[in-house]
């Protein structure tokens, strides 16, 4: 063995002897520590959302979410990946001398993107727990502004970092800066994350109104190759949601009873309005369907009303069982996932109680399956918003994750993970 290799081997052995950590070196010192991977890579149970979840896989603690066969959880030093079925640590990654700010991943088993308070962006390989690449972007914005925020999103093969005054995209593979978005001078970006549509990355913004008018709240579309703003459209009173890769919808556009469908496939967005009953705010969209909650129902029980966007018509209505209510729904793979649960009295703290996860056909509203869920401890024992409820968070890789709503994207929560008895997807 050469002298250089002997020295390197000694350093590695010494590092592993201290708490099982490997101190990473090689290039700039990012004060990183990594442990693992340990054992075989935990593979996902399936490739899609489960049709008939009937088995509790695991209850996680302080999780960012599920990525394939792993849960990505918060740790004192950074993040830890655990086998979804076993809960055993597969790898750990952390940095000293700074705090972790934002985390995101798509769940495709490739990259966990992290943005740290000292500005370092580290893209972690899901299979190994080792950094794929690093870069540095000033975290958030200057101290003192009431509008500061920071976010990181993995979309369309890009790692996108956002703050009030800037948005920058890096290639998920390799970390090369692809573009820095040209945010209009009269606008600042706002929280709410970004999402991908055909050829663009869409972000929410706040722009100065004309004269004495209120601020505008548009969506800005940044070209995935150049970062130039390709189009800009008002977000509506109730935020527009993507129903497919080129269509946005809302049930509340310019006022009660006025919905909108926005087609962004052309050079400029084409807005068409359609009459809709009042007091039916849209809460989800996808697979050609917009879901609204019927707040005209006296019980305010979360009754779901689905609209066929292409046909501009009511597709179906689904009521919860008497004496129960629905939380917020999730649309995935042609199905609607929603938790049927006990109502929450005003000014009362949420309590852990049994509930039911329902699976509905997105096109017809027909109930396809249901699963009795065990009690899930609420995030807080303090009285809160009466809309606080259990809601599905993810439906992919053969599992559905359920958590208490009211949590922002990029934050951690305790998750109940359920899947099909045999992991199959129909």
């Amino acid at each position: 063995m050469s002298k250089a290799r002997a020295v390197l081997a000694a350093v590695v052995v010494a590092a592993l002897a201290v708490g099982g950590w490997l101190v990473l070196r090689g290039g700039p010192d990012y004060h990183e520590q990594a442990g693992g991977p340990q054992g075989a890579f935990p593979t996902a149970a399936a490739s899609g959302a489960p049709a008939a979840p009937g088995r509790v896989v695991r209850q996680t603690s302080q999780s960012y979410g599920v990525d394939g066969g792993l849960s990505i959880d918060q740790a004192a030093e950074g993040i830890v990946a655990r086998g979804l079925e076993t809960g055993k640590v597969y790898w750990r990654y952390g940095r000293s001398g700074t705090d972790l700010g934002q985390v995101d991943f798509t769940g495709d088993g490739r990259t966990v993107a992290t943005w740290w308070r000292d500005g370092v962006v580290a893209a972690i390989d899901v299979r190994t727990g080792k950094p794929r690449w690093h870069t540095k972007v000033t975290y958030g914005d200057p101290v003192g502004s009431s509008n500061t925020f920071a976010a990181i999103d993995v979309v369309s093969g890009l790692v996108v970092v956002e703050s009030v005054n800037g948005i920058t995209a890096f290639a998920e593979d390799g970390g090369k800066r692809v573009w820095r978005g040209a945010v209009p001078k009269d606008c600042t970006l706002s929280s709410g994350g970004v999402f991908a549509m055909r050829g663009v990355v869409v972000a929410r913004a706040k722009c100065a109104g004309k004269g004495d008018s209120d601020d505008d709240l548009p969506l800005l579309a940044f070209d995935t190759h150049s970062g130039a703003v390709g189009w800009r459209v008002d977000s509506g009173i109730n935020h527009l949601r993507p129903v497919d890769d080129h269509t946005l919808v809302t049930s509340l556009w310019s006022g009660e009873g006025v919905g909108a469908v926005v087609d962004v496939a052309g050079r400029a967005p084409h807005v068409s309005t359609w009459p809709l009953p009042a007091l039916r705010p849209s809460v989800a969209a996808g697979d050609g369907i917009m879901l609204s909650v019927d707040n005209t129902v006296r019980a305010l029980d979360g009754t779901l009303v689905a609209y066929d966007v292409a046909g501009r018509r009511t597709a179906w209505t689904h009521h919860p069982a008497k004496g129960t209510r629905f939380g917020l729904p999730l649309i995935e793979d042609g199905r609607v996932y929603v938790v049927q649960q006990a109502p929450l009295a005003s000014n009362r703290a949420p309590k852990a109680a049994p509930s039911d996860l329902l699976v509905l056909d997105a096109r017809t509203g027909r109930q396809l399956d249901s699963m009795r869920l065990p009690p899930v401890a609420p995030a807080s024992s303090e009285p809160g918003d009466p809309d606080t409820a259990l809601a599905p968070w993810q439906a992919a890789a053969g599992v559905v994750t359920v958590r208490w709503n009211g949590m922002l994207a990029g934050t951690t929560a305790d998750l109940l993970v359920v899947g099909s008895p045999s992991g199959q997807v129909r």
Side-chain angles (χ1 to χ4, degrees):
M1 180 184 293
S2 69
K3 183 177 180 180
R5 289 186 177 181
V7 171
L8 176 60
V11 170
V12 170
V13 171
L16 289 174
V18 182
W21 283 100
L22 173 63
V23 179
L24 301 179
R25 293 289 189 270
D29 185 359
Y30 293 106
H31 306 288
E32 299 172 290
Q33 303 88 36
Q38 300 179 25
F41 178 65
T43 57
S47 59
R55 172 178 69 100
V56 173
V57 177
R58 190 170 130 241
Q59 293 198 41
T60 74
S61 176
Q62 294 299 298
S63 294
Y64 291 101
V66 170
D67 192 332
L70 296 168
S71 66
I72 308 299
D73 307 330
Q74 187 181 57
E77 68 285 342
I79 56 177
V80 57
R82 293 186 171 91
L84 193 56
E85 294 280 350
T86 65
K88 293 182 179 179
V89 173
Y90 178 63
W91 55 254
R92 293 182 291 165
Y93 172 82
R95 296 182 62 234
S96 60
T98 187
D99 294 322
L100 179 58
Q102 302 292 315
V103 175
D104 192 51
F105 47 90
T106 60
D108 61 2
R110 295 179 61 207
T111 305
V112 177
T114 62
W115 194 8
W116 300 74
R117 299 277 179 172
D118 64 355
V120 169
V121 176
I124 312 305
D125 188 318
V126 171
R127 284 186 167 270
T128 67
K130 305 297 191 298
R132 301 180 67 188
W133 52 265
H134 306 82
T135 191
K136 197 161 187 178
V137 181
T138 301
Y139 188 87
D141 294 281
V143 176
S145 170
S146 61
N147 294 323
T148 59
F149 86 98
I152 191 166
D153 294 276
V154 184
V155 292
S156 296
L158 300 171
V159 174
V160 182
V161 293
E162 311 119 53
S163 58
V164 168
N165 295 313
I167 177 169
T168 307
F170 301 90
E172 183 181 356
D173 293 328
K176 180 182 177 182
R177 193 177 86 172
V178 180
W179 49 262
R180 178 173 172 80
V183 180
K185 291 182 179 180
D186 63 335
C187 300
T188 57
L189 298 185
S190 61
S191 59
V194 302
F195 53 88
M197 298 189 75
R198 187 181 299 176
V200 295
V201 172
V202 183
R204 303 192 186 279
K206 179 179 180 181
C207 303
K210 296 179 180 179
D212 296 329
S213 63
D214 294 335
D215 291 335
D216 294 326
L217 301 173
L219 296 178
L220 302 178
F222 297 90
D223 185 275
T224 53
H225 299 293
S226 67
V229 176
W231 49 261
R232 170 176 170 172
V233 65
D234 185 77
S235 184
I237 297 174
N238 194 17
H239 285 168
L240 288 166
R241 301 169 184 272
V243 71
D244 55 38
D245 71 346
H246 66 281
T247 311
L248 297 154
V249 294
T250 179
S251 65
L252 189 57
W253 176 248
S254 57
E256 286 286 0
V258 181
V261 179
V262 184
D263 189 336
V264 298
R267 292 186 176 182
H270 178 264
V271 180
S272 58
T273 59
W274 53 321
L276 288 171
L279 299 178
R280 287 188 178 178
S282 46
V283 292
D287 293 331
I289 291 292
M290 178 180 72
L291 283 179
S292 293
V293 171
D294 187 356
N295 285 339
T296 65
V297 178
R298 192 170 185 178
L300 294 177
D301 58 8
T303 291
L304 294 176
V305 181
Y307 296 94
D308 179 343
V309 175
R312 307 291 201 277
R313 64 178 182 84
T314 302
W316 51 264
T317 299
H318 199 98
H319 299 272
K322 186 177 180 179
T324 68
R325 60 170 177 150
F326 284 150
L328 291 175
L330 175 69
I331 303 175
E332 199 68 57
D333 289 354
R335 306 182 188 100
V336 175
Y337 298 86
V338 65
V339 178
Q340 182 174 268
Q341 57 207 284
L344 178 63
S346 180
N347 297 320
R348 296 287 183 90
K351 294 182 179 180
S355 57
D356 295 286
L357 176 65
L358 306 188
V359 184
L360 313 178
D361 184 290
R363 303 301 300 185
T364 67
R366 181 174 65 90
Q367 183 171 316
L368 302 174
D369 198 73
S370 68
M371 175 187 174
R372 189 68 166 174
L373 300 178
V376 180
S380 172
S381 59
E382 297 296 323
D385 190 328
D387 291 333
T388 299
L390 286 169
W393 178 243
Q394 297 170 286
V399 300
V400 177
T401 61
V402 175
R403 74 177 192 174
W404 288 91
N405 70 355
M407 304 292 293
L408 298 175
T411 58
T412 59
D414 297 343
L415 301 177
L416 174 66
V417 185
V418 299
S420 299
S422 58
Q424 82 276 10
V425 174
R426 296 198 299 270

